[in-house]
Amino acid sequence: MSDSRRIVYQQGDHICALYSTPEEQLAVAVDYIRGGLERGERCLYICCEHSIAEFREALKRSGIDVEHEEARGALILNSRYEAHLLGGIFDPDQMIPLLYRAVRDALDAGFAGLCAGGDMSWVLDQAPGTNRLPEYEARLNEFYRSNKALGLCLYNRNTLPSHILDHSMATHRHIHLEGPILLENPFYESADHAKYRNAAAPEIVTEKLDILEATRSAKLA
C-alpha cells in the first residue's frame, strides 16, 4: 500500500494518522487530498486545528487549484460544526447516514467515489456523545469496506488524551506515522469488541506508540 516516496491510498481504506506537529498534519492531509483528486474522487475534508482558510492555503502551496476544484464540486471543506459536531453534539447515528449520502452524491455527480478525511481534534471540545467515538470508528470500517469510499482520521499525539489515542489504534487496520509508509496495525480490534471497549492505561498506550515507532523506524531503515 506504499512506495518509497508516497503512500498510495485506495477505496476501502480507513487509515489512522498519528501526527506530532501542525506541519506534519498538513503534509499528510494535503497528500491525501491530492491523491483523491488524481483518482477522480470527490474529496471531503473536515478542518479543526487549522481553519478552512489555512487548509485552503496549504492546498494552494502544494500546487492544487483550490478554486477550480471547489467550483467543480471535487473539493468540499467543512468545519467540525458542519460535520462531527453538527448541532453541538457527536452522534454516530447522525454521521454515518451523512457519509452514505456523501458517497451517493459523489457518484451521482460523476465522481469515482468519496475521499473523506478529518482532523479528530474536535474531541477536545468534549461535546455530548464524544464517548461514542470508538463505536463510530469501528462502524466506519464496515462503511468504507462496503462503499466506493476511503477515510483518513488524523489524531494529534501531543494534544489528545491517551484514551483517545488508544481508541484510535484499536479501530484502524493501518496506521500512518511520519514518512511515506503505512503500518499494519498490531493493535487493531474487531468491530464488535472495539465498539464498547475500555481504553488501556496511559503507560500501556505509551508502550503501543513506542512499538509502532520502532516498527516504522525498522521499515524506513
Side-chain angles (χ1 to χ4, degrees), residues 18 42 44 46 91-92 103-104 120 124 135 138 146 155 182:
L18 297 172
R42 170 173 281 170
L44 170 64
I46 312 303
D91 183 359
V103 173
R104 185 182 64 241
M120 304 300 286
L124 293 172
E135 172 197 345
S146 58
Y155 287 83
L182 288 181

Side-chain angles (χ1 to χ4, degrees), residues 25-200:
Q25 190 246 13
L26 283 177
V28 173
V30 167
D31 184 65
Y32 177 74
I33 295 299
R34 179 189 301 281
L37 294 172
E38 290 174 353
R39 292 189 300 272
E41 296 161 348
R42 170 173 281 170
C43 296
L44 170 64
Y45 187 78
I46 312 303
C47 298
C48 190
E49 281 195 82
H50 296 93
S51 69
I52 291 176
E54 290 170 335
F55 192 65
R56 279 198 183 102
E57 286 305 310
L59 292 171
K60 290 178 182 178
R61 288 195 300 271
S62 76
I64 294 173
D65 187 341
V66 174
E67 287 81 4
H68 172 70
E69 300 297 354
E70 287 184 314
R72 72 185 186 92
L75 177 64
I76 299 173
L77 303 179
N78 286 335
S79 74
R80 60 190 181 274
Y81 303 114
E82 298 169 292
H84 297 105
L85 299 186
L86 185 65
I89 64 171
F90 175 63
D91 183 359
D93 297 327
Q94 174 178 268
M95 280 297 299
I96 299 292
L98 285 175
L99 287 169
Y100 274 107
R101 286 197 293 274
V103 173
R104 185 182 64 241
D105 290 347
L107 295 173
D108 287 347
F111 295 98
L114 180 71
C115 177
D119 175 358
M120 304 300 286
S121 296
W122 58 265
V123 301
L124 293 172
D125 288 17
Q126 298 183 343
T130 301
N131 61 303
R132 296 181 68 187
L133 177 63
E135 172 197 345
Y136 172 66
E137 291 282 35
R139 289 170 65 181
L140 284 180
N141 286 308
E142 174 57 29
F143 169 79
Y144 286 118
R145 277 197 301 269
S146 58
N147 287 275
K148 291 183 179 299
L150 66 161
L152 178 72
C153 304
L154 296 107
Y155 287 83
N156 189 325
R157 295 171 57 176
N158 292 330
T159 62
L160 294 175
S162 66
H163 71 278
I164 294 296
L165 297 178
D166 193 48
H167 290 325
S168 76
M169 288 185 280
T171 52
H172 298 80
R173 288 187 181 275
H174 294 89
I175 301 285
H176 176 272
L177 299 176
E178 187 177 10
I181 192 167
L182 288 181
L183 302 179
E184 294 284 345
N185 179 12
F187 308 115
Y188 176 76
E189 300 173 8
S190 68
D192 288 342
H193 180 268
K195 283 180 185 178
Y196 310 108
R197 71 187 307 274
N198 293 314

